[in-house]
Structures are given as structure tokens and as C-alpha cells.
Amino acid sequence: MTTEPTTPAAPAPAVRRASTRDRAGRIFAGLSTGAGALILIVLAAVAGFLLLEAWPALTAGAEELTSISWIPDDGSLLTYVGPLIFGTLVAAVLALLLAVPVAIGIALFISHYAPRRLSSALGYVVDLLAAIPSVVYGLWGGLVLAPLVQPVWQWLSETLGWIPLFEGPAATPARVMMTVGVVLAVMILPIITAVSREVFLQTPRLHEEAALALGATRWEMVRMAVIPFGRSGVISASMLGLGRALGETMAVLMILSPGLTYSLALLLAGRQQTIAANIALQFPEASPLGVSALIATGLALFVITLAVNMLARWVVARRADFSGAN
Amino acid sequence: MTRLRQTPHAVPSAAPRALAPSQGRRTPGSPGGRVAAAAVAVVAALTLTACGSDDPLNHPWRPGPAAQEGAAGDGAAPEVEGLTGTVAGAGSSAQEAAMQAWIAGFQSANPDVSVAYDPVGSGGGRTQFVEGGIAYAGSDAPLDEEELAAAQERCAPGAVAELPLYISPIAVMFNLEGVTSLNMSAATIAGIFAREITRWDDPRIAADNPGVALPDLGITPVNRSDESGTTENFTEYLHEAAPDVWTFDPSGNWPLTGGQSAQGTSGVVQTVQDGQGTITYADASRAGTLGTVALGVGEEWVPFSPEAAAAVVDASPRAEGRPEASLVVELDRDTTAPGAYPLVLVSYTLACTAYADAADAELVGAFLSYVASEEGQAAAAQAAGSAPISDALREQVLPVVEAISQEAM
């Protein structure tokens, strides 16, 4: 990428206006540098705020902490935040497992299978999904989806109950992690679909035609040319979705019956809770030290999100070397 | 500034109304609303003189901008008496709906008064009150010893007043098709919520409900997932009325892990509505179409009602060793008084019997006497579903509230 004027059509005026262009260019460079710096400052400010506000809880003794009614009896912040981190990861990973296959399917359909008119309409509808606020997803999940899926979870626990994940009997109403996973999956579907679709569309035409010319069917072409090319893009799209799922608050708060355990049972009520939902849940009645303890859990979430993003970067960077993309 | 004003209405109404905005009117209100407000103000003026001092020396009868405005909004009223000023409070979120009704009622009677209430939570309200940041507070729990000492210091030379002005019955509600009411003793309720009684056709439930067809269905108890005063009062009731079954200490945070839970009153009620065989505890005004439990009190079964909730407060003794103005009741949760419903949430209003600022004293006194009045309690009952306090309790509260006004004079 280059920022210099590349239009060969009118070289003479370009030279004449070089000085004004130069000034505009410098202003623009300054602005974009400022914007870039701003994001770093904001990030540093958030990290600083979290550390500063969490400090009283991080340094408080066990006795002080047990005065908060929802801190476990041993008064350790670690035993409190542990199940929360676990629950957050379970929710996000579950959402990702449900969403990614569907998102890739939609993206491939739009980019390679659907008739042109249908594909643009479908892309538009998928993007619309992203515009629905999460509190609406929460309401929908709690009021409509949970009663609807209860018989399905019931069946799941009866037939697959021997797998610890689907341990029964399924809770009524279905305010369980499985329902949360489905709603989160719907919420992160648009972002994964949109990014994957763009990546698939950028597959070099020559690769596709070469595959077809060698006698590949359309599915084989997709498998051999499109998916390998788009793999790193799909991974970064998934990480974007994962970021959203990790931090999602309202939907989890409104759907899940929370509990602080390390249980993987997805169909039982009161087993898991996520960090973000827990902060929103306990904040209104929290004492100053309680608020500080909640912010300490927020700090944990910040670190997790950072780690996940760095992992994603690393994965993408590694793949980029031999995928032929970028 | 706070003054009781009374002015002969001699000004043509149009001019002052045009002037009104430049005269620093404090309370926002549309000109249309002012007509109604001023009409009510006349009625309120009578109430206010009843509880305040009517010593003319301290209440100079002179015209002021407030009086002119009041008159301007109401062409018919010959004279208008009114309070002005701002008073701020904070605390219990349980009281929020009632407090909004009280503030609306008080402000429409006194358009130049601005009363604020910030529902930061009981703990925050008590802290701010003790620190002197606010003039009154709402708290679901009385002050503890440490806070009481600090509050006495803050209120010196007066004393701290704790007034049980918000009584809210908590109902145990359930969702069972075809069953609208069940009798349960405290031990049975404790057994259900401790997950020892797990099926609806358990003999311990059936024994108290002859003739009710109880289904062969699992019980799903639903509790609040957030820390709440409702949970604290409910666990306190179970702890005191059924100590053998409910072995947990009273706490605002539900002591058991696992099981169904939801955020806030709406959350638990919604959860109960969504599932068959569910049972929860919540503010009684939210029961709607759900079945409710009549509590075993002595030899009888008492369903919740505003009168029954007020009755338990009357039947309970005053807490001892507290200042005279502190009307803290030690709720007798295992009461056997006939017709008393012991599962209630009592939320207190904290105030001082004397304020350094006379204006604060008069405003707080006037506001709290409205809150304790029959109209005030009826407004809260309508807005928040609380139980109006009994006349017996009102007779105890009013002298304290009236003393607030007098001591500042």
C-alpha cells in the first residue's frame, strides 16, 4: 500500500499542487497517528483504571473480604474468580463451537453457491442480525427460546445423559448454559459470517478456475482452493466473535441461572456464571470493597481477552506464511 | 431556603407568570401542571401547618416570589402557603417505587420544593447519611451499633430517628396448574428451599392441604441470584421460624449453590411463570396469577394481605437500647398473633430529630409527615404494593416527625 498519488492521468497539476497536497498529507498523517496513539492511551487508561480500582480488593485481607456476602468463606479472591473464569470460557467456547460451522456454511453459500441476487439479500440480513442490541437477544432468549428448547434439552439429557456435558435431568425452565451458548452463537454469527464471506470472495479467480479445470467438482474446488485460502481469515473472524462472546453481559444475565462451580454440565441450572454477567448482577448492592472485588474480576476478564487476542494474532501470523493469503 | 409563606393574592395573574422564569423558580413544571399543583397546595398548606410550627414570629407573613408564582398559576385561590427548598436522600432500592410516589405527591402539593432520592442501596444510604451528605436515608436494615453511634454524633444535639415507614409483604409464590393457594408451615417452606422436600406430593405438604390434588412433580425452588433485602428477610424468617430445618444464617446472598435463580424480582417471577412446579419468594404485589402460600402462624393459616403484614409489625416489640426516636421493631418472625403475616420486609427511613440547618429540618419534617400520613401510605401502596402502616404505628411515628420541625425553630 502506498499513500503517494498514483494517478498517471494528470501529472502536471499534481506537481503544481504538490505543496498544498503535501500539507494535507502531513495533516492527515498527524491525524491518523493521533488516532493510533489514542487507542493505545485508551487501552492503557482502561488497564490503569482496572488496576487502581481493584487494588483495595487485591490487597485486602481474607477477613475483610469475607465480609462481602458473596465471597466464599475462605476469603480468597482467587477461589471466587476461578469458577467465573471457567464459566466465561465455557460460554464463549460453546458459542464458538456452535457458531463457526454455521457461519462458514453461510459465508460459503453467499460467496460461492447462491445466485447473485439472493446472496446480496442474504448478506444484508446477516448484517442486520449484528444490529440487534444484546438486551433484546437476552429477552428473546429468556422469554421465547428457553421455554422452546426445554423439550430438546430434555431429550438430549435422556439420550446422551451418559456424557457429563449433557448430564440430566434438564432444568425447567431452561435457564442453563446450553441456552446461553445458543443465544451467544446467534449473536456472534454475523461478525464471523461477514468477515469469512469477504475472505472467501477474495480467493484468486485463477486458483478456482485451475481447480475446476483439473476436473474438480464445485465442492472439491471449495475444499481445495477457497477454504485453505480463507483459513486464516476465518480464524481471525472467530477470534473477533470469541471476544464478543467473552464480554457479553446482558444476554447471559437474563438467561442463565448462575452458580459458582467448575461443572461442565450444560443442561443443569445454577452451575456456571460469566464474569461480565456477574459484575452486572452484583454491582447494584455491592459495598465499596465489593465493587473493588468485582472490578478485580473485570481485570481478570481483561487479561483473558488480551490473551485470546494475542493467541489469535499468533495463529493468524503463523498461517499467513503458507496460506498464500495476504 | 425554607419558609412557610402566606400572601394576599393581589397581583394580576398574567404578569407574574411571565416573570416566573427569571425569578429563579426551582421546581420545573409546565404552566398547565402548575394550575393543578397550586390547587392541591391549598390542601397541603393545612396539613403542613398541622405538623410544623405556626408561631408567626418565625414565619413572617410576607410576599415572596414563591407565593406570587403559586398565585399566578391559580387565578382562583385567594392565598397560597408553601414551602421552598431542596432536600436530598438516598438508600434502599426496595423503597424506590414508594419513594417516587411520595416525592411526586409531596412535590405536587409543594411545587417549590425539590425532594431527591437516589436508590444507591441501603448500605450506601446509611454511609452517606452518617457522613452528613444527605438529610434522610432509606435502609432495609436498622443501623448497627457502630453506625448508630456515628449517626448520633452526626445528628447532635438531636438524635437519630429510624422510622418503619415502608412495610412490604413478601409472598411465597408457586406455579402449579390448578392450584391457587397452599398452606405451608415455616418448616415446610424451609424444607422446600433447603431442597429436602423435592416433590409436590410429599406427605409434609399434603398433610397441611387436605383436598388439594398435588401432582407427582419435582419442586424447582427459584431464588434471587443478586444480593437483596428480600432474600435477607426471607432467610431471616426461615432461620427464626424453622431453625431446625433452615440451618443457614440469614444473608442477603442466597446460601445454597446450584439450582434455579434469577436477577431481581421480575427475574424470579418470570422464571416461576416459565416452569411448572417452580416456587419462589418475592414482593407480594408481583404475585399476579401465580399461586401463593398461606403461612402457618400459630394454629391458623394466614395468606398475605396488607393488614396482616401491618399486624406483625404492631405485634412485634420495639428494639431495646436505642434512642427514643428510633422506632426499630424486632420482627417477631415466629409470632402466634392472630392474623399476623410474619414474612415482611420492613424498610426504615433515617432522619435526625434536629438539623443544623433550620430549612432542612422543616423540609424533612414536612416530607416525612406526608410519608407517614394516610394519603402518603396509600400512594405507596398503589405505586409499590406496600402495606400501609397501622394507625397504632402512625401514632408513634407522627410525634417524632413533628418534633423534627419544632426543634429546628
Side-chain angles (χ1 to χ4, degrees), chain B residues 125-385:
Chain B
R126 287 198 298 269
T127 311
Q128 288 186 34
F129 177 74
V130 166
E131 285 169 356
I134 47 175
Y136 74 99
S139 171
D140 292 348
L143 297 166
D144 63 27
E145 267 177 51
E146 208 174 301
E147 288 168 334
L148 189 61
Q152 285 288 69
E153 210 168 294
R154 178 247 198 263
C155 288
V160 62
E162 295 171 278
L163 310 167
L165 292 176
Y166 180 76
I167 302 170
S168 167
I170 298 168
V172 177
M173 30 187 117
F174 56 85
N175 185 356
L176 268 187
E177 207 160 348
V179 185
T180 54
S181 178
L182 282 175
N183 300 331
M184 286 188 197
S185 67
T188 308
I189 298 174
I192 289 174
F193 280 93
R195 298 171 202 158
E196 281 164 18
I197 301 177
T198 55
R199 302 204 68 84
W200 282 104
D201 52 358
D202 190 286
R204 280 167 285 188
I205 302 177
D208 290 335
N209 295 282
V212 179
L214 289 164
D216 174 23
L217 183 70
I219 302 180
T220 309
V222 181
N223 60 268
R224 288 279 292 267
S225 56
D226 49 340
E227 194 175 354
S228 84
T230 314
T231 302
E232 186 156 15
N233 279 275
F234 183 62
T235 51
E236 199 176 285
Y237 164 73
L238 296 179
H239 179 76
E240 281 172 32
D244 300 336
V245 189
W246 190 259
T247 50
F248 308 96
D249 285 330
S251 161
N253 196 48
W254 191 250
L256 289 106
T257 49
Q260 292 279 7
S261 60
Q263 183 204 19
T265 303
S266 317
V268 287
V269 172
Q270 182 63 45
T271 306
V272 166
Q273 281 167 347
D274 283 349
Q276 272 290 310
T278 46
I279 183 166
T280 192
Y281 56 94
D283 198 280
S285 61
R286 303 293 296 277
T289 54
L290 295 171
T292 53
V293 169
L295 303 181
V297 177
E299 294 295 309
E300 53 175 355
W301 303 108
V302 183
F304 84 88
S305 70
E307 299 77 34
V312 74
V313 177
D314 287 345
S316 301
R318 279 262 301 269
E320 285 175 16
R322 301 185 80 88
E324 204 188 336
S326 174
L327 301 176
V328 174
V329 282
E330 278 198 335
L331 277 176
D332 194 2
R333 302 281 191 187
D334 52 353
T335 182
T336 51
Y341 184 86
L343 185 46
V344 295
L345 180 153
V346 174
S347 194
Y348 293 89
T349 305
L350 311 180
C352 290
T353 56
Y355 286 89
D357 184 13
D360 276 352
E362 196 159 17
L363 266 182
V364 172
F367 178 58
L368 294 187
S369 25
Y370 167 72
V371 169
S373 71
E374 266 179 63
E375 306 86 72
Q377 289 290 313
Q382 203 184 8

Side-chain angles (χ1 to χ4, degrees), chain A residues 163-256:
Chain A
I163 304 173
L165 282 177
F166 304 122
E167 186 187 329
T172 351
R175 298 169 55 83
V176 293
M177 189 49 97
M178 197 67 181
T179 315
V180 170
V182 171
V183 173
L184 287 183
V186 176
M187 292 178 70
I188 63 177
L189 201 60
I191 181 98
I192 304 179
T193 306
V195 175
S196 303
R197 181 188 64 201
E198 289 307 313
V199 174
F200 291 151
L201 281 174
Q202 278 168 21
T203 312
R205 196 97 201 131
L206 274 175
H207 291 200
E208 294 177 20
E209 281 169 3
L212 291 173
L214 287 171
T217 61
R218 193 184 271 195
W219 156 236
E220 283 164 339
M221 180 268 284
V222 163
R223 209 183 50 180
M224 290 188 302
V226 181
I227 292 182
F229 178 84
R231 193 176 285 146
S232 67
V234 171
I235 290 174
S236 42
S238 308
M239 291 305 147
L240 279 176
L242 188 63
R244 183 164 185 202
L246 280 173
E248 179 45 42
T249 310
M250 277 320 287
V252 180
L253 185 66
M254 296 172 84
I255 298 169
L256 188 64

Side-chain angles (χ1 to χ4, degrees), chain B residues 10-34:
Chain B
V11 216
S13 58
R17 191 188 295 196
L19 281 175
S22 63
Q23 285 172 338
R25 177 187 175 82
R26 291 197 194 177
T27 318
S30 66
R34 237 180 271 166

Side-chain angles (χ1 to χ4, degrees), chain A:
Chain A
M1 280 216 293
T2 168
T3 50
E4 282 155 50
T6 47
T7 39
V15 170
R16 223 179 294 138
R17 274 192 253 130
S19 66
T20 45
R21 279 201 174 187
D22 203 35
R23 192 169 349 120
R26 264 184 282 125
I27 292 173
F28 181 73
L31 281 177
S32 50
T33 310
L38 186 70
I39 198 73
L40 287 179
I41 294 170
V42 168
L43 199 67
V46 168
F49 156 81
L50 286 173
L51 255 179
L52 200 71
E53 294 287 313
W55 198 249
L58 293 174
T59 53
E63 275 169 40
E64 276 182 84
L65 282 175
T66 41
S67 69
I68 306 168
S69 66
W70 34 261
I71 293 274
D73 288 335
D74 65 353
S76 161
L77 211 53
L78 226 55
T79 47
Y80 181 62
V81 81
L84 286 173
I85 293 176
F86 176 78
T88 307
L89 292 175
V90 167
V93 169
L94 182 64
L96 213 56
L97 285 179
L98 293 173
V100 168
V102 180
I104 292 177
I106 298 173
L108 280 178
F109 178 74
I110 291 174
S111 64
H112 285 82
Y113 285 88
R116 178 156 301 185
R117 195 176 294 170
L118 181 63
S119 78
S120 64
L122 201 61
Y124 180 69
V125 170
V126 170
D127 287 346
L128 260 187
L129 271 183
I132 300 173
S134 64
V135 64
V136 173
Y137 276 112
L139 275 175
W140 168 73
L143 298 181
V144 181
L145 189 69
L148 218 61
V149 294
Q150 207 283 326
V152 183
W153 297 165
Q154 188 85 41
W155 173 84
L156 210 58
S157 73
E158 277 159 15
T159 46
L160 294 173
W162 48 274
I163 304 173
L165 282 177
F166 304 122
E167 186 187 329
T172 351
R175 298 169 55 83
V176 293
M177 189 49 97
M178 197 67 181
T179 315
V180 170
V182 171
V183 173
L184 287 183
V186 176
M187 292 178 70
I188 63 177
L189 201 60
I191 181 98
I192 304 179
T193 306
V195 175
S196 303
R197 181 188 64 201
E198 289 307 313
V199 174
F200 291 151
L201 281 174
Q202 278 168 21
T203 312
R205 196 97 201 131
L206 274 175
H207 291 200
E208 294 177 20
E209 281 169 3
L212 291 173
L214 287 171
T217 61
R218 193 184 271 195
W219 156 236
E220 283 164 339
M221 180 268 284
V222 163
R223 209 183 50 180
M224 290 188 302
V226 181
I227 292 182
F229 178 84
R231 193 176 285 146
S232 67
V234 171
I235 290 174
S236 42
S238 308
M239 291 305 147
L240 279 176
L242 188 63
R244 183 164 185 202
L246 280 173
E248 179 45 42
T249 310
M250 277 320 287
V252 180
L253 185 66
M254 296 172 84
I255 298 169
L256 188 64
S257 280
L260 298 178
T261 66
Y262 290 101
S263 162
L264 269 173
L266 301 177
L267 300 178
L268 295 180
R271 291 298 189 274
Q272 302 94 355
Q273 169 72 312
T274 73
I275 294 177
N278 186 62
I279 293 177
L281 182 67
Q282 300 292 6
F283 184 78
E285 293 290 322
S287 64
L289 187 65
V291 170
S292 178
L294 289 177
I295 290 174
T297 66
L299 187 65
L301 181 60
F302 184 77
V303 171
I304 293 173
T305 318
L306 217 62
V308 163
N309 271 315
M310 282 163 80
L311 189 75
R313 289 261 158 178
W314 179 71
V315 169
V316 171
R318 235 173 46 119
R319 296 271 180 189
D321 294 341
F322 51 85
S323 75
N326 301 348

Side-chain angles (χ1 to χ4, degrees), chain B residues 73-154:
Chain B
D74 176 12
E79 47 196 23
V80 165
E81 201 172 7
L83 278 157
T84 61
T86 305
V87 65
S92 161
S93 50
Q95 285 194 38
E96 187 181 4
M99 201 53 92
Q100 278 169 0
W102 288 327
I103 290 173
F106 187 66
Q107 286 188 164
S108 68
N110 302 280
D112 293 313
V113 166
S114 161
V115 181
Y117 184 77
D118 184 9
V120 293
S122 297
R126 287 198 298 269
T127 311
Q128 288 186 34
F129 177 74
V130 166
E131 285 169 356
I134 47 175
Y136 74 99
S139 171
D140 292 348
L143 297 166
D144 63 27
E145 267 177 51
E146 208 174 301
E147 288 168 334
L148 189 61
Q152 285 288 69
E153 210 168 294
R154 178 247 198 263

